[in-house]
Amino acid sequence: MRAITYSRYGSADVLELTEQPDPKVGADTVLVRVRAASVNPVDWSIRQGYLDGLMDVAFPVIPGWDVAGVVERVGLDTPELQVGDEVYGYVRKDWVHGGTFAELVAAPVRTLARKPASLSFEEAAAVPLAGLTAYQSIARSGVRAGQTVLVHAAAGGVGSFGVQIARHLGARVIGTASEGNHDYLRGLGVEPVAYGEGLGDRVRALAPDGVDVVLDFAGHGAVAQSASLLAPGGVITSITDASARDEHGGHYVWVRPSTADLDALRGLIDDGAVRVEVARVFGLADAAEAHRASESRHGRGKIVVRV
């Protein structure tokens, strides 16, 4: 099969299109014919070696955790899925090696769910990691109707899902973003505020009694900035800063594969409660350029690779 691989840590220049053996299909695994995959910041963080102390890596690495495709073969015990099923998933395994930037990927069934019918494969590939991160952060925080939620990086990949899910649950949402994304957020029912000096004052002007939940999808000191903005009993959840949990009694979320949560996201998407934005689509041979585009951009929508 054709696959993008790298045999050493480094810049996007280490990515190359190679021929690799077809993956083996374990008992609780299905073989997916990949139609699209997407780039996430963790993909280039791993490629650059930044997570070497956290994750076992076996070179050559096929990068990528997000996938949308069609089940081509099933394992010995995979009653959840059948050949021909259209699926999407967050195919994070116990070690980094056989990812989704390839014509085929062996995916444990716990990482997959049926693809939203309303989405193309390219759109579906943009959902799993970012969508699950937002969904699980909101679930961990206990967001509910009537609350006021502050979302940092509200127009980003995770934030865009987070604000839509929180609004669907009936929460009032205040979102931090650059000025250029304020109209986009207003279109999602979000009250936007600009980053930078005076952020706390701008949030207090909108929520003088404080916010019930802070969702930090940005990092860069957002947790420290937000502690004083919480209403009594409020909670901070971060995907970048463990101090939310360790110093402020909140939560630190490292997204997990979950068929049930992917099913829930599919329902929200197919019901029209959550929409998906793709910024640009590359071919498999241009995966290095896709990585560069992801690393250098700060706009909305996901970078997707069509296989």
Side-chain angles (χ1 to χ4, degrees):
M1 69 172 183
R2 295 186 311 147
I4 296 297
T5 60
Y6 58 95
S7 296
R8 67 186 189 281
Y9 292 133
S11 71
D13 294 341
V14 302
L15 296 172
E16 55 183 346
L17 183 63
T18 63
E19 287 289 333
Q20 297 294 318
D22 290 356
K24 296 178 181 178
V25 182
D28 61 350
T29 298
V30 299
L31 187 68
V32 176
R33 174 70 60 177
V34 179
R35 296 287 296 274
S38 70
V39 185
N40 292 288
V42 71
D43 296 322
W44 33 272
S45 294
I46 294 171
R47 190 204 68 224
Q48 293 169 332
Y50 295 152
L51 298 185
D52 187 67
L54 184 65
M55 309 192 74
D56 289 323
V57 173
F59 294 113
V61 169
I62 300 173
W65 283 342
D66 279 348
V67 70
V70 180
V71 175
E72 184 152 302
R73 205 166 95 217
V74 296
L76 294 172
D77 186 19
T78 56
E80 301 92 335
L81 295 170
Q82 305 296 323
V83 172
D85 284 345
E86 295 184 351
V87 295
Y88 77 142
Y90 169 45
V91 189
R92 194 187 87 209
K93 304 176 184 177
D94 294 332
W95 49 298
V96 179
H97 175 64
T100 59
F101 278 47
E103 292 179 318
L104 297 166
V105 64
V109 291
R110 63 182 172 81
T111 68
L112 298 175
R114 285 175 173 78
K115 180 182 79 67
S118 59
L119 298 185
S120 67
F121 284 104
E122 290 81 7
E123 291 167 331
V127 175
L129 189 153
L132 285 174
T133 301
Y135 186 87
Q136 292 173 7
S137 297
I138 285 171
R140 191 83 65 88
S141 305
V143 173
R144 61 185 183 274
Q147 289 186 320
T148 298
V149 178
L150 172 62
V151 179
H152 289 290
V158 177
S160 292
F161 286 107
V163 298
Q164 292 181 83
I165 296 168
R167 289 286 295 138
H168 174 73
L169 291 172
R172 176 194 181 196
V173 179
I174 301 169
T176 67
S178 60
E179 295 277 359
N181 285 316
H182 283 193
D183 284 343
Y184 165 72
L185 290 178
R186 291 187 186 100
L188 298 178
V190 177
E191 299 167 61
V193 293
Y195 292 123
E197 187 176 352
L199 171 62
D201 292 336
R202 290 189 289 277
V203 173
R204 288 188 194 95
L206 293 172
D209 295 328
V211 299
D212 300 296
V213 177
V214 173
L215 298 174
D216 168 31
F217 301 141
H220 309 294
V223 168
Q225 284 182 306
S226 301
S228 65
L229 301 174
L230 283 175
V235 63
I236 300 179
T237 296
S238 178
I239 64 170
T240 66
D241 188 345
S243 71
R245 176 194 63 203
D246 300 339
E247 299 176 21
H248 301 285
H251 306 286
Y252 178 71
V253 173
W254 178 268
V255 61
R256 299 179 180 183
S258 169
T259 297
D261 290 350
L262 286 168
D263 284 338
L265 283 169
R266 182 184 71 235
L268 291 171
I269 291 165
D270 283 343
D271 288 344
V274 170
R275 69 187 196 217
V276 180
E277 189 167 353
V278 173
R280 193 172 174 189
V281 179
F282 292 82
L284 183 62
D286 298 319
E289 188 60 31
H291 268 232
R292 293 186 190 99
S294 176
E295 290 181 71
S296 64
R297 68 188 300 277
H298 300 284
R300 302 193 309 271
K302 293 292 293 293
I303 299 294
V304 173
V305 170
R306 182 187 294 122
V307 180

